[in-house]
Amino acid sequence: MFLNWFDTAPRRILGLVAVTCVAMLAFGLYLQHGPAKLEPCPMCIVQRYALVLVALVAGIAAFVPARGFLVASAGLMTLFAGFGGFVAARQSWLQWYPPEIASCGRDLYGMIETFPLKRAIPMIFRGGGDCTKVDWTFLGLSIANWSFLWFLFFALVGLVLLVRQLRGRSMPRHALAT
């Protein structure tokens, strides 16, 4: 039943993905600026950018009825979600197995302003002391763990959309209009 939605209402699914991403971004901003006052680490910022890209691709694809655009958007969404999931998995790994010598890293903008890009990008993924710190948990999972699970879900949704569209399943005309 659920897989039929990928054939009959792919644009609605993409709209739900976009709304979910926006809600997650809003929650992240609440954690940053609300009572918790959590400061995002460089890896958290990269995950936010990946989430913004997933939301933009899914949101735009939800409004464009062309089948070719849907296929390209599903592929891009899978790619961006996979990248975000990789960063979240790396941060989760750093949280579970912190390095022996943890140093507080610079913020993302400070790294990019101070170092050339080819040196700043590895520094972001290396993670500093801030990236290993677990400030908030829900049901025993950190923000990075939850982020990984959501990116995995978005990547799977994009992959299922991509595969079902490439298999040549004909979409009813009303599915493109919804």
Side-chain angles (χ1 to χ4, degrees):
M1 169 96 180
F2 179 70
L3 287 178
N4 290 338
W5 283 13
F6 287 93
D7 293 329
T8 59
R11 293 177 54 214
R12 287 184 184 173
I13 289 173
L14 289 167
L16 285 172
V17 166
V19 168
T20 303
C21 288
V22 169
M24 290 174 60
L25 288 165
F27 184 68
L29 290 173
Y30 170 76
L31 287 176
Q32 180 179 353
H33 299 290
K37 297 283 187 206
L38 300 180
E39 191 64 33
C41 70
M43 294 179 101
C44 295
I45 293 169
V46 171
Q47 291 171 55
R48 282 186 187 179
Y49 286 139
L51 197 59
V52 166
L53 290 172
V54 170
L56 282 174
V57 168
I60 292 169
F63 288 105
V64 178
R67 183 175 180 268
F69 192 80
L70 177 67
V71 170
S73 298
L76 277 175
M77 188 174 86
T78 303
L79 182 72
F80 293 145
F83 173 72
F86 170 77
V87 175
R90 176 70 178 139
Q91 185 177 5
S92 295
W93 178 266
L94 287 171
Q95 288 175 349
W96 291 329
Y97 305 105
E100 290 181 26
I101 301 173
S103 63
C104 290
R106 299 174 182 243
D107 66 356
L108 178 67
Y109 302 110
M111 281 190 238
I112 291 174
E113 288 176 1
T114 307
F115 300 104
L117 194 57
K118 67 180 181 180
R119 190 166 169 211
I121 289 179
M123 290 172 70
I124 292 168
F125 290 107
R126 193 174 311 126
D130 294 340
C131 291
T132 62
K133 194 164 126 185
V134 177
D135 293 326
W136 181 90
T137 60
F138 179 68
L139 298 177
L141 298 175
S142 70
I143 296 171
N145 302 146
W146 281 109
S147 182
F148 173 75
L149 292 174
W150 278 105
F151 277 124
L152 180 65
F153 175 74
F154 296 143
L156 287 174
V157 167
L159 193 61
V160 169
L161 274 172
L162 182 65
V163 167
R164 291 184 77 94
Q165 293 303 310
L166 288 178
R167 275 193 180 165
R169 294 186 184 258
S170 60
M171 282 195 303
R173 289 187 189 269
H174 66 82
L176 292 174
T178 58

